[in-house]
Amino acid sequence: MIRIFLGYDSREVIAHHVCAQSIIETSRMPLSITPLKLDNLSSIFDRSREPDQLTDFSYTRFLVPYLCDYKGWAIYLDGDMLIREDIQRLWDLKDERYAVSVVKHADRKGHHTFLDTTVSLFPKFNWSSVMLFNNEKCKALTSDYLLTVRYQDLHQFKWLNDEKDIGALPSRWNHLVGYDKPNADVALVHWTLGGPYFDEHKNTEFAEEWFAMRDKMLKLLPE
């Protein structure tokens, strides 16, 4: 079974469900999909929201190894994504040499704005939006650690002893709309600047596919 944890933000509920549906629609394998909803994690994570915290899951994504009891493997995905290929192909990229594998986007300068929050871009920004965790090698990510660690230290993987512990995934497994050049041959679409469910982004790259998946999902609901 493929264990998947999805970021859940109360401002993007529809995004989370469409992302989950896109995984289900394209997968041929049994799946375990867990939403990282803050209310469901309050017994182990009750940190106050930080000024530079872009989403509800900025910190909780790093609870994945803990939630897996540091055993086996797991995939973490931001909720504002659309999966276009079987998630098994990402799962098959597991490599025991690494604690975590990510798409290593090039560093950018400037600022990133999401809804009402703007942060300065820092090295490895967006690397943590898709993570293939080798849970046994991520024991530094305890619930207590996440209550005090700096936001940027987490997302720059400073909880690892060596940057060599970070494996590289193919870029097609985290295509950043609005940053990366348009590309029809990607496996995972990430609307990191805001998805088609916001009026100002409704005509972005792959928006038509997102709306098609949303409509397909809604038709599956009982009347």
Side-chain angles (χ1 to χ4, degrees):
M1 181 177 292
I2 301 175
R3 289 190 292 186
I4 303 166
F5 292 79
L6 294 185
Y8 185 102
D9 192 299
S10 57
R11 300 165 298 177
E12 295 185 291
V13 174
I14 187 64
H16 170 90
H17 289 290
V18 172
C19 181
Q21 189 64 32
S22 71
I23 297 171
I24 294 168
E25 290 287 338
T26 54
S27 176
R28 297 171 298 164
M29 297 293 292
L31 305 168
S32 171
I33 300 178
T34 302
L36 293 174
K37 189 173 185 290
L38 279 175
D39 291 347
N40 300 344
L41 299 167
S42 60
S43 63
I44 58 174
F45 183 83
D46 60 356
R47 181 170 179 162
S48 298
R49 195 178 185 91
E50 300 288 328
D52 57 355
Q53 184 175 336
L54 288 172
T55 67
D56 289 351
F57 47 86
S58 293
Y59 287 94
T60 55
R61 70 187 69 193
F62 294 100
L63 282 171
V64 168
Y66 172 86
L67 294 171
C68 293
D69 197 26
Y70 305 106
K71 296 177 181 177
W73 291 78
I75 294 172
Y76 166 79
L77 305 174
D78 279 5
D80 52 353
M81 295 178 169
L82 183 77
I83 285 65
R84 305 175 73 230
E85 293 187 7
D86 194 336
I87 201 74
Q88 173 77 43
R89 296 178 183 174
L90 175 58
W91 190 247
D92 286 343
L93 297 175
K94 303 187 300 296
D95 190 325
E96 291 287 353
R97 294 176 297 173
Y98 305 115
V100 61
S101 294
V102 302
V103 174
K104 297 185 176 182
H105 302 106
D107 290 342
R108 303 186 305 272
K109 296 181 179 179
H111 297 85
H112 179 98
T113 299
F114 179 71
L115 294 179
D116 298 324
T117 304
T118 299
V119 298
S120 297
L121 295 174
F122 51 81
K124 300 182 178 64
F125 196 86
N126 281 129
W127 284 26
S128 60
S129 52
V130 173
M131 292 185 283
L132 183 55
F133 279 112
N134 185 354
N135 294 315
E136 186 177 359
K137 294 188 175 184
C138 299
K139 292 182 178 178
L141 295 175
T142 65
S143 56
D144 288 340
Y145 175 70
L146 292 183
L147 294 177
T148 58
V149 62
R150 289 178 65 248
Y151 175 82
Q152 291 191 13
D153 288 349
L154 266 178
H155 290 266
Q156 293 182 79
F157 301 89
K158 292 185 178 179
W159 42 274
L160 291 171
N161 292 326
D162 196 319
E163 192 165 330
K164 293 180 181 178
D165 292 329
I166 308 173
L169 298 174
S171 61
R172 61 195 310 273
W173 281 104
N174 195 354
H175 176 73
L176 303 179
V177 174
Y179 285 123
D180 295 338
K181 293 181 180 179
N183 182 0
D185 184 30
V186 298
L188 185 153
V189 182
H190 183 191
W191 288 280
T192 184
L193 294 172
Y197 38 90
F198 295 126
D199 285 342
E200 60 269 34
H201 299 292
K202 63 183 180 182
N203 295 315
T204 56
E205 186 185 14
F206 292 107
E208 290 186 4
E209 289 190 24
W210 186 90
F211 284 114
M213 184 61 66
R214 180 204 62 179
D215 293 346
K216 186 172 185 178
M217 178 187 71
L218 293 176
K219 287 179 181 178
L220 296 172
L221 298 176
E223 296 183 359

